[in-house]
Amino acid sequence: IVYRRKMVVRMRLQRFGQRNKPFYRIVVANAKSPRDGRFIERVGTYNPIPARDGIKEVIIKSDRIKYWLACGAQPTKRVAWLLGKVCYIIIQLCSSSCAGTNITADAHTSKVDYES
């Protein structure tokens, strides 16, 4: 008899960039792998440093995030906050609660600029 353990999959941030200039990738990874270690798939990016116009940038692959959430992937608190900022988690309330964001979406990716 072979017993298989379920692999806990999380959506989390993977840090890149220089000191004091962070840049993050939103990745789907096994919960036991290290923060900047192995991952299953890259599903987006987040740049917390505002551009000259004061807008931060979040780019997500909405179809892949939808797939991984349906498979049971658990977003960390920060990724859930980012997905809430881009109005992805509660899509029905997007028209009323996301008046301050500029959403540009095509078939596979969504690019959102927001002011903090």
Side-chain angles (χ1 to χ4, degrees):
I1 298 174
V2 176
Y3 293 102
R4 288 189 173 179
R5 289 186 172 180
K6 285 189 175 182
M7 182 173 70
V8 179
V9 178
R10 299 197 191 253
M11 298 173 74
R12 62 180 175 207
L13 296 175
Q14 191 176 40
R15 191 183 195 282
F16 287 92
Q18 300 172 354
R19 184 174 13 132
N20 297 325
K21 294 181 182 178
F23 179 81
Y24 297 95
R25 288 180 181 164
I26 303 170
V27 297
V28 177
N30 184 352
K32 293 184 178 181
S33 64
R35 180 192 72 178
D36 296 335
R38 292 182 58 185
F39 60 90
I40 300 170
E41 184 177 1
R42 187 180 322 144
V43 294
T45 59
Y46 168 53
N47 188 2
I49 306 296
R52 291 181 186 231
D53 53 359
I55 296 177
K56 299 177 183 180
E57 182 179 74
V58 177
I59 300 174
I60 62 169
K61 296 179 184 175
S62 56
D63 58 335
R64 297 308 295 167
I65 287 181
K66 182 179 178 182
Y67 168 78
W68 282 108
L69 288 175
C71 286
Q74 302 169 353
T76 59
K77 289 182 182 180
R78 199 59 173 174
V79 171
W81 178 81
L82 284 172
L83 294 178
K85 277 286 193 186
V86 300
C87 299
Y88 189 78
I89 288 184
I90 306 172
I91 200 74
Q92 293 84 8
L93 302 177
C94 185
S95 60
S96 62
S97 65
C98 298
T101 60
N102 301 324
I103 299 176
T104 307
D106 59 12
H108 299 291
T109 61
S110 298
K111 179 177 179 181
V112 178
D113 299 327
Y114 69 92
E115 297 179 19
S116 54

